Amino acid sequence: MSEQWSDEELLARLGAALNAVDSVPRDFVEAAKTAFAWRNIDAELAEFAELAYDSEFGGENALALTRAADSASLRALTFVSRELTIEIEVTEDTLIGQLVPPQPGRIHLRAESGAVCETTIDEVGFFAIGAKPAERFRLHCRTATGIAVSTGWITL
């Protein structure tokens, strides 16, 4: 059963909770802030891949990408960095991609909410992420040779 508190007792308990925050050791708070600052260090140290092509916005050489079987449209995106190109195609329910030049590695999809999906990039540079993200996301790729590349935020 839930307890019933008077307004005075509720205010006293809230005051005690707020005072407890003040009693957290300063070193502990600084350590937590430092750990939080390092959460995206790989992405911050990675080379940035610029969006070079998005089929949604067309252009002279935009293709109408459709599958004949169910006429589901695809969206193609290309991100280019100095050492690596990440090409992705977004279908109704999945995200598939290719690294150019082809090489193995790992790719992380980090959603804006913080959720992370990680998958392997095979020897020919192919990867597939099983669930199309419903929110903004970014990709972070690290190849077996140590090349690290991150995209900006992507909204589908």
Side-chain angles (χ1 to χ4, degrees), residues 17-122:
L18 290 173
N19 289 335
V21 170
D22 293 336
S23 66
V24 175
R26 183 182 189 117
D27 292 345
F28 185 80
V29 172
E30 291 303 316
K33 287 179 180 179
T34 301
F36 184 75
W38 281 84
R39 75 191 183 289
N40 288 334
I41 194 66
D42 283 345
E44 291 176 17
L45 294 176
E47 183 178 350
F48 185 73
E50 299 264 350
L51 178 63
Y53 175 77
D54 185 343
S55 64
E56 182 174 79
F57 298 109
E60 290 181 13
N61 44 352
L63 301 174
L65 298 172
T66 60
R67 293 185 297 196
D70 60 2
S71 299
S73 63
L74 297 175
R75 183 171 174 191
L77 300 136
T78 302
F79 296 89
V80 178
S81 72
R82 188 170 25 91
E83 297 187 65
L84 197 63
T85 298
I86 302 172
E87 298 176 342
I88 61 173
E89 288 184 357
V90 183
T91 67
E92 293 294 321
D93 58 354
T94 192
L95 194 145
I96 59 174
Q98 176 74 41
L99 296 186
V100 179
Q103 52 196 293
R106 302 285 297 167
I107 193 155
H108 303 259
L109 180 148
R110 180 176 300 276
E112 191 170 34
S113 65
V116 176
C117 177
E118 180 180 354
T119 193
T120 302
I121 304 167
D122 69 15

